[in-house]
Amino acid sequence: LVMIVAQSIAYAHEHGVVHRDLKPSNVLLDLDGRPKLADFGLAKDLTAQVSRGTTQPGFLIGTPAHMAPEQAAGDTSGQPAVDIYGLGALLYHLLTGCAPHTAKTLDAILRQIIDETPLAPRAMVADLPAPIEAIVMRCLEKRPDERYASARDVAAELERFLSGQPVQAMGE
């Protein structure tokens, strides 16, 4: 499912659109069980010649438990790397049943996102294969340049995992 969502995000990115709010409730399943990406209400059109309104610096864009560290720090530029993080957060949530960061207050969640590495998924799901955990954790890297370079790369990595091939996140 996440591989298909990653392909959808790759298509959006290739057309200059960054979703900025990937989370389980924004992935709908059609009657055949195929995922459909929904709610582009916070999306940013990177190709727009004229802005349809600007987001103030320091204003949070996205759902806190699933947002990238740069979003949590107030960066509203909407670069594609936020969706790479979002794909990781989505996959983490689907594999473990919880978001990568959870806390009782917004400030505590934002601090965790910015400063703390999420608990490794296999700490919660012991029989989770190491390669899928490596993919998730690479998507969830704090620095955007340490994540996958594109959503297309995430989709290809998930396809390698699903076909039993070595994944790049494992250093192979």
Side-chain angles (χ1 to χ4, degrees):
L1 294 174
V2 176
M3 181 184 73
I4 294 169
V5 172
Q7 291 167 342
S8 299
I9 288 295
Y11 181 86
H13 288 179
E14 289 160 3
H15 289 84
V17 176
V18 180
H19 190 281
R20 301 197 297 179
D21 195 24
L22 292 176
K23 59 185 176 183
S25 63
N26 283 343
V27 177
L28 308 176
L29 299 178
D30 68 15
L31 294 175
D32 294 321
R34 291 183 305 251
K36 303 293 181 186
L37 191 55
D39 192 358
F40 280 78
L42 297 178
K44 182 160 189 163
D45 181 353
L46 299 176
T47 66
Q49 297 294 322
V50 177
S51 177
R52 294 185 321 212
T54 58
T55 306
Q56 298 297 319
F59 185 77
L60 292 178
I61 296 294
T63 302
H66 290 87
M67 69 175 43
E70 57 271 32
Q71 286 175 293
D75 181 347
T76 61
S77 65
Q79 295 306 306
V82 302
D83 284 348
I84 305 306
Y85 189 94
L87 287 167
L90 176 65
L91 186 54
Y92 187 103
H93 200 147
L94 292 173
L95 293 170
T96 67
C98 62
H101 298 283
T102 56
K104 293 185 189 256
T105 68
L106 175 60
D107 287 340
I109 290 174
L110 297 177
R111 183 188 50 72
Q112 284 180 4
I113 292 168
I114 294 167
D115 297 330
E116 298 176 18
T117 300
L119 183 64
R122 291 194 316 163
M124 293 177 276
V125 183
D127 61 347
L128 192 69
I132 195 70
E133 179 181 76
I135 293 168
V136 170
M137 297 309 283
R138 179 153 178 210
C139 288
L140 295 177
E141 287 288 347
K142 296 294 179 199
R143 293 184 39 204
D145 63 342
E146 293 179 357
R147 297 177 203 145
Y148 290 96
S150 72
R152 188 79 55 210
D153 291 345
V154 176
E157 188 84 305
L158 290 168
E159 187 171 6
R160 280 189 290 278
F161 169 74
L162 291 170
S163 66
Q165 298 175 29
V167 299
Q168 294 173 351
M170 294 291 293
E172 298 175 18

